[in-house]
Amino acid sequence: GPWSCLHLGLIAGTVVLAGFLRGFVGFGAALIIVMVLSQVLDPRAAVPIATLSGLPVMIQLLPHALRHAERSFVTPFGLAAFAAAPLGAVVLVSVDPAIMKMAISIFVLAMVVMLHRGWRLARRPGPGVLIGAGALAGFVQGAASVGGPPAVAVALSRPGAPQQQRANVIGAVTTLSLCSLLPLWFHGLFTREVIFISIAIIPFYAGSAWVGARFFSRQGHHHFRNAALIALAAIGLVTLALGIQDFLTD
């Protein structure tokens, strides 16, 4: 079967890296988990696993986000994400997984390029921009569980200290974690296998997220923005390559 020791080791290593990144920069874990698990399983299992296994970490990071995040950012973003997530879930269950993977990666890389070039919204984004970004993120979240990048792009483009930016990221990612639960459940994607794997990886995920959060508060905040961009770029390139490979071998 697919569950050789190599696969289990790969999944455990993936989850530890993903959790650390989530604790440190506030996002990125689902991207890594979906990317690797899509290779071992299928996007239709990988997406709900990333969603379920991330819930305890979401609760763990929430107090910090509630203290430091801006409501004027998180509220319109979150409401729009909830409205758009069901559409994304329809795409997940109906579109060829290889095409989905390629689309996700191209999207992530475009975000990285924009952020790396110092792209920031010239003025504080108004409700229109936030609602648009929220809808886009919710749609991508429903389809692929990787709605984080648009949330991160908008959060990092707002002026503010690293602590506040990270809190905004965590706040936005929290709304994304919640908005895809119902659509995924509706389409019957929370299978017994998905629930079992999710429960098995939670200790690795939550433990490494705790370490990542500690690192941020000690010395990591100086490297926060660059680390976030490098992580995203690497993830995007690898996913794109794997997606193209899948598409060509289909």
Side-chain angles (χ1 to χ4, degrees):
W3 296 109
S4 65
C5 291
L6 180 69
H7 278 129
L8 291 173
L10 179 71
I11 290 170
T14 299
V15 170
V16 168
L17 172 67
F20 179 82
L21 195 67
R22 177 87 163 88
F24 175 32
V25 296
F27 75 99
L31 276 168
I32 298 177
I33 292 172
V34 168
M35 182 174 74
V36 177
L37 264 61
S38 289
Q39 305 306 315
V40 182
L41 305 164
D42 170 80
R44 279 159 217 179
V47 168
I49 289 169
T51 304
L52 278 184
S53 61
L55 292 177
V57 174
M58 179 193 90
I59 294 162
Q60 186 182 334
L61 294 172
L62 202 53
H64 169 88
L66 289 173
R67 275 200 304 278
H68 300 284
E70 302 168 88
R71 290 223 174 97
S72 61
F73 167 71
V74 176
T75 308
F77 181 94
L79 291 173
F82 268 88
L87 290 171
V90 171
V91 172
L92 170 66
V93 293
S94 52
V95 173
D96 174 4
I99 294 174
M100 284 292 307
K101 279 187 236 173
M102 288 190 290
I104 294 161
S105 350
I106 290 167
F107 182 75
V108 171
L109 289 171
M111 288 287 165
V112 173
V113 170
M114 277 160 56
L115 286 169
H116 175 66
R117 299 189 56 172
W119 177 80
R120 300 227 172 158
L121 299 171
R123 52 185 191 286
R124 290 184 88 74
V129 173
L130 295 180
I131 288 168
L136 178 64
F139 176 78
V140 175
Q141 185 70 16
S145 192
V146 294
V152 176
V154 179
L156 292 185
S157 71
R158 284 165 81 83
Q163 197 169 35
Q164 189 182 48
Q165 286 190 333
R166 178 171 169 272
N168 283 341
V169 167
I170 292 170
V173 170
T174 299
T175 62
L176 291 176
S177 306
L178 295 173
C179 75
S180 56
L181 283 174
L182 264 176
L184 292 174
W185 172 80
F186 176 78
H187 290 289
L189 297 179
F190 291 130
T191 60
R192 196 171 291 171
E193 182 190 38
V194 161
I195 292 167
F196 173 74
I197 297 170
S198 301
I199 292 170
I201 65 180
I202 282 169
F204 298 100
Y205 195 159
S208 56
W210 180 81
V211 174
R214 289 289 294 249
F215 178 73
F216 177 84
S217 58
R218 292 276 173 80
Q219 67 269 35
H221 52 274
H222 303 302
H223 314 292
F224 166 68
R225 192 185 169 89
N226 287 340
L229 291 180
I230 291 165
L232 270 182
I235 294 163
L237 287 168
V238 175
T239 331
L240 181 60
L242 292 171
I244 292 170
Q245 183 193 344
D246 268 20
F247 184 69
L248 296 176
T249 53
D250 262 9

